Amino acid sequence: MTTLRRAARDVFRRFPRPVRRAAFRLAGRPFPAAPPRAAATSVGDGDAAGGSDGSGFNPSYIGSRPDLVERLPSECRNVLDLGCATGEVGAAVKRRIPGARVTGVELDGPMAAIAASKLDRVVAADLEDAQAIAQALGGEPFDGVVAGDILEHLVDPWRTLRILTTVLAPDAVIVASLPNVGFWDTSWNVLIRKRWPYRPRGIHDSTHLRFFARRNLEPLFAQAGYRVERIDRSYRLIERPHRRNRYARFAAIPGLRDLLTFQFLVIARRDGGITAELDHPVGDHGELIPPI
């Protein structure tokens, strides 16, 4: 009997933390406090925060993001890194594509200063200011763009993507990652716990201003003149970084796939046959809502 209890306890511990918390609540018992743990990082949460470059910064913002870098076509030679932080992503691009020139855009002064030592150029420009973008980045058309977890931080990411077309080559490729608000943890917190889970990182980062689910992706890029070529997914069982997330892809069967998608990885190419208009207001339903 002791062996069976031990086995049952081990299985129970493998359930997501919210499920275990609910079971304790139904049993009328206090949920045990989690032991302290060291900061962990994973896809979409940064993956290299050590050393002086990482001190004082949110580790979620400064990883090298190999999941994005490996999806950037090797023929890209003039790459734009949006929200380059400390320059880890751009530096990884330069290592993967010898001879590539990388320009970073970063408004945070301390981060930009570190990135300047790793990239060919770092500019301070508001990604939502068309004039600033044109002045800072015009004259050298970029054939590749990396947008790692930046669009959701903007007031009007739809317009920002349109602005970028003014500094891109006709067939430029953009590789972007966007958190999936349709991840199961969102519904659990909103419908069961009756709260929005504001957090310092991840899908529910408290600095996020915009939210995207699967059917928002094509309209987001199409309205700016990009053709989505591929959408990949990063799966998780648990919202926070955890070793058990490595098994999430095995559970991502049809019907559960969207619920276990932590992040979308989008590869889109500029379509020269589509003209983006910069003056459409944010919230235009034709831009935000896909056709039924």
Side-chain angles (χ1 to χ4, degrees), residues 132-286:
I133 290 293
Q135 291 179 347
L137 302 174
E140 46 175 329
F142 296 92
D143 55 10
V145 180
V146 178
D149 293 326
I150 184 66
L151 297 175
E152 65 272 16
H153 291 270
L154 304 177
V155 172
D156 192 347
W158 300 271
R159 188 170 190 272
T160 293
L161 286 176
R162 295 197 295 270
I163 291 171
L164 285 178
T165 61
T166 63
V167 299
L168 297 184
D171 61 345
V173 173
I174 180 169
V175 180
S177 59
L178 298 104
N180 174 33
V181 76
F183 186 70
W184 70 266
D185 186 68
T186 302
S187 297
W188 173 267
N189 277 277
V190 173
L191 300 179
I192 305 301
R193 304 186 70 189
K194 310 300 182 184
R195 70 179 187 111
W196 182 262
Y198 289 106
R199 292 167 177 151
R201 43 141 296 281
I203 296 172
H204 308 112
D205 187 320
S206 59
T207 63
H208 288 178
L209 300 179
R210 297 293 174 179
F211 302 92
F212 302 95
R214 171 62 184 84
R215 292 188 65 204
N216 295 118
L217 301 180
E218 277 91 353
L220 170 65
F221 289 91
Q223 58 84 35
Y226 302 87
R227 182 180 66 257
V228 173
E229 295 186 336
R230 187 169 126 199
I231 297 176
D232 294 331
R233 298 165 182 255
S234 169
Y235 295 110
R236 285 189 181 183
L237 294 173
I238 304 170
E239 198 277 344
R240 61 182 172 83
H242 196 282
R243 65 182 181 277
R244 291 173 189 159
N245 286 326
R246 72 185 71 174
Y247 305 113
R249 61 192 179 92
F250 300 111
I253 60 177
L256 294 179
R257 196 163 292 152
D258 284 344
L259 293 174
L260 294 180
T261 297
F262 176 76
Q263 190 173 61
F264 295 108
L265 304 169
V266 181
I267 302 173
R269 188 176 295 272
R270 186 181 176 194
D271 189 336
I274 302 176
T275 301
E277 298 184 21
L278 301 184
D279 295 328
H280 285 188
V282 62
D284 185 317
H285 288 184

Side-chain angles (χ1 to χ4, degrees), residues 1-49:
M1 184 63 71
T2 301
T3 302
L4 289 175
R5 284 179 180 172
R6 190 173 298 146
R9 189 180 299 117
D10 184 62
V11 170
F12 181 69
R13 285 173 179 164
R14 296 176 184 273
F15 290 169
R17 185 178 176 84
V19 174
R20 289 183 285 124
R21 186 188 297 275
F24 271 84
R25 186 176 298 166
L26 289 173
R29 296 171 55 188
F31 188 68
R37 63 178 187 271
T41 57
S42 183
V43 174
D45 292 282
D47 57 16

Side-chain angles (χ1 to χ4, degrees), residues 41 45-50 53-54 59 62-65 86 88:
T41 57
D45 292 282
D47 57 16
D53 286 359
I62 59 177
S64 59
R65 297 303 303 273
T86 58
E88 292 295 327

Side-chain angles (χ1 to χ4, degrees), residues 68 72 76-84 89-91 93-94 97 100-106 119-125 127 132-134 136-138 140-148 150 160-161 163-169 172-176 226:
L68 293 178
L72 189 69
C76 293
R77 287 294 180 269
N78 196 18
V79 179
L80 183 62
D81 183 4
L82 304 181
C84 68
V89 172
V93 170
K94 293 175 69 66
I97 309 177
R101 173 180 169 82
V102 178
T103 298
V105 180
E106 179 57 58
L119 308 183
D120 297 283
R121 183 185 176 206
V122 176
V123 299
L127 288 173
I133 290 293
L137 302 174
E140 46 175 329
F142 296 92
D143 55 10
V145 180
V146 178
I150 184 66
T160 293
L161 286 176
I163 291 171
L164 285 178
T165 61
T166 63
V167 299
L168 297 184
V173 173
I174 180 169
V175 180
Y226 302 87

